[in-house]
Amino acid sequence: MQQYQWDSLYINGQIATMADEQSCPYGLLRDSALAIKDGLIAWVGPMQSLPDMPERLAKTIYDLAGRCVTPGLIDCHTHLVYAGNRYYEFELRLQGASYETIARADGGISSTVTATRMASFEDLLEQSLKRAKHLVAEGVTTIEIKSGYGLNLDTELKILRVAKRIGEILPVTVSLTFLGAHSLPLEYKDKPDEYIDSVCHDMLPVIVGENLVNSVDVFCENIAFDLAQTERVFKTAREFNLGVKCHAEQLSDMGGAALAAQYNAVSVDHLEFLSAAGVDAMAKSGTVAVLLPGAFYFLRETHLPPIDLLRKAGVPIAIATDCNPGTSPVTSLLLMLNMASTLFRLTPEEALKGVTRYAAKALGLQATHGTLSVGKVADFVVWDIEHPAELVYHIGFNPLIMAVKDGVKVSSVIPE
Ligand code: DI6
Ligand code: FE
């Protein structure tokens, strides 16, 4: 019986590796091949450098006929497990109410918390799975999912278990983040410090005990938690050896980014009102800036994140959907690529790096995901386009023709 060096081989592709090994835009290898062995990338390079005839190298061969390949896309910031939706709040905002006014009147996040507490596990799974399927159908192979619409132990656990289940049902890696400090629940009105006690001492130990999360996030904002409360959560996260993330400088400059950087945050997210000092702090700690153009657009924000300062300081920039019912009801990462370029003026290459290489870094997965490099997990997507910049350029167009997850070809999941 013939012994093959590799399990499968993809030939005649234009491979946007997004890696540094190729010192060209997108790490693009024209007329190239990619080989898989045991779920990992075993070889990538020009066709003419293949060590033998393709049919002697692997049992299964796919001819990509010149199509583009990118790493599987990574949506590194979502809140996609929640019940209900907030179309009525959208209508109120169109009549002039601001996001803050609605939040302070116990609408906003609180109304989603009520619906999510009431939903059964099955109901929450069914509603959330639909959103995850839309992302997966666009080539997303890794999704970060935050809790944060429970705000009590039982419901936070329910959300995290639903999120974990999504990763078992769909061909997607799910990275879980505990966002107990998302908003002050009504039963703790005027007692934010007591609620933070509960997050740190009642919820986090149990969640860690179930080995559910990699990271802890806090919404540091004047409508959520202040710097001192944020720091208490970070300290506890560190005691449990968890990564730190922060929603910071979304609506105002609270200094959350610099605080998170002190705790070596893997990412700080939103950042419209980030100061120069915040940029420097993030550069020093190697923290990724996750920009969320969907929330910027949906809130009709006009204050741009300091993109040039981030670039000059060498802070890696990632892009995500922020999929949530209040400020970013978005289930298209491809649309976010376009918005990152049109609204934030990221180059198409920067935008694509933001959903591959730097999105992996924002999740602490840079050693295994995010680029098409030998030894990394074989998560990639084949697109029916001529150049990777087309993923950023088109609006409402999904050119995915094949997705490969952990080395296995998975049929694209068609949204219901
Ligand atoms: N920032 C956001 O944009 C979302 N959460 C957060 O911390 C909004 C969540 C919501 O309004 O439901
Ligand atoms: Fe968010």
Side-chain angles (χ1 to χ4, degrees), residues 77 79 86 89 99 108-109 112 149 179 182 218-219 247 250 270 292 295 299 322 324-328:
H77 179 143
H79 310 244
R86 307 231 292 272
E89 185 180 314
Y99 179 68
I109 295 180
T112 301
Y149 287 114
L179 178 58
H182 190 195
V218 178
F219 189 15
H247 281 66
Q250 180 185 7
H270 282 290
L292 304 165
L299 292 177
D322 196 15
N324 79 68
T327 61
S328 193

Side-chain angles (χ1 to χ4, degrees), residues 189-207:
K189 201 165 184 142
D190 301 323
K191 293 183 291 188
D193 289 310
E194 285 177 38
Y195 179 63
I196 294 295
D197 282 342
S198 172
V199 165
C200 295
H201 306 308
D202 303 334
M203 299 190 208
L204 202 44
V206 180
I207 286 162

Side-chain angles (χ1 to χ4, degrees), residues 24-356:
C24 58
Y26 304 92
L28 189 63
L29 294 168
R30 292 179 194 278
D31 198 16
S32 286
L34 185 150
I36 298 174
K37 173 86 179 158
D38 299 330
L40 303 179
I41 297 170
W43 192 92
V44 60
M47 288 296 291
Q48 77 239 28
S49 307
L50 275 171
D52 204 339
M53 311 270 284
E55 47 284 2
R56 290 205 214 132
L57 290 166
K59 190 166 169 212
T60 317
I61 292 168
Y62 298 94
D63 187 350
L64 301 177
R67 294 189 177 103
C68 267
V69 180
T70 67
L73 306 188
I74 299 175
D75 192 352
C76 67
H77 179 143
T78 87
H79 310 244
L80 71 76
V81 177
Y82 60 83
N85 72 64
R86 307 231 292 272
Y87 65 86
Y88 54 89
E89 185 180 314
F90 180 53
E91 291 183 326
L92 285 177
R93 285 205 297 110
L94 289 169
Q95 287 158 23
S98 74
Y99 179 68
E100 281 101 323
T101 317
I102 294 167
R104 289 190 194 285
D106 297 336
I109 295 180
S110 294
S111 62
T112 301
V113 170
T114 305
T116 306
R117 286 179 179 179
M118 278 164 48
S120 67
F121 178 93
E122 288 71 25
D123 195 13
L124 192 58
L125 178 62
E126 191 187 322
Q127 293 188 41
S128 307
L129 201 52
K130 284 187 192 160
R131 292 183 275 272
K133 282 183 181 175
H134 276 269
L135 291 171
V136 168
E138 282 191 350
V140 171
T141 51
T142 299
I143 305 180
E144 186 254 17
I145 303 179
K146 301 172 196 296
S147 67
Y149 287 114
L151 311 182
N152 61 30
L153 178 59
D154 284 355
T155 317
E156 290 290 299
L157 280 172
K158 178 171 69 183
I159 292 168
L160 292 168
R161 288 174 185 147
V162 163
K164 190 173 169 195
R165 186 84 190 101
I166 287 172
E168 292 159 1
I169 296 172
L170 298 179
V172 70
T173 298
V174 173
S175 174
L176 294 174
T177 301
F178 174 55
L179 178 58
H182 190 195
S183 180
L184 190 62
L186 296 179
E187 60 275 20
Y188 280 90
K189 201 165 184 142
D190 301 323
K191 293 183 291 188
D193 289 310
E194 285 177 38
Y195 179 63
I196 294 295
D197 282 342
S198 172
V199 165
C200 295
H201 306 308
D202 303 334
M203 299 190 208
L204 202 44
V206 180
I207 286 162
V208 170
E210 284 207 25
N211 203 10
L212 277 169
V213 300
N214 313 316
S215 313
V216 174
D217 196 343
V218 178
F219 189 15
C220 180
E221 190 55 68
N222 53 40
I223 55 166
F225 298 100
D226 66 20
L227 279 180
Q229 291 153 355
T230 302
E231 182 159 20
R232 286 177 58 207
V233 180
F234 290 168
K235 278 201 171 119
T236 314
R238 188 181 262 179
E239 282 163 23
F240 286 112
N241 264 326
L242 294 170
V244 162
K245 288 177 160 279
C246 192
H247 281 66
E249 301 17 322
Q250 180 185 7
L251 309 169
S252 62
D253 180 13
M254 303 261 297
L259 174 70
Q262 275 176 36
Y263 284 82
N264 288 321
V266 279
S267 77
V268 181
D269 306 38
H270 282 290
L271 299 172
E272 281 82 345
F273 291 85
L274 180 65
S275 66
V279 173
D280 286 346
M282 289 177 67
K284 287 205 183 79
S285 58
T287 301
V288 177
V290 179
L291 304 184
L292 304 165
F296 178 90
Y297 166 82
F298 197 70
L299 292 177
R300 304 178 72 195
E301 183 55 71
T302 51
H303 198 288
L304 284 164
I307 311 282
D308 268 340
L309 289 181
L310 289 167
R311 270 192 195 117
K312 281 189 190 122
V315 175
I317 298 175
I319 303 295
T321 60
D322 196 15
C323 175
N324 79 68
T327 61
S328 193
V330 169
T331 48
S332 171
L333 193 57
L334 291 178
L335 178 59
M336 295 304 99
L337 287 179
N338 180 272
M339 283 193 182
S341 286
T342 50
L343 299 175
F344 295 163
R345 295 274 180 260
L346 259 58
T347 66
E349 187 191 6
E350 284 173 326
L352 203 55
K353 270 189 190 156
V355 297
T356 53

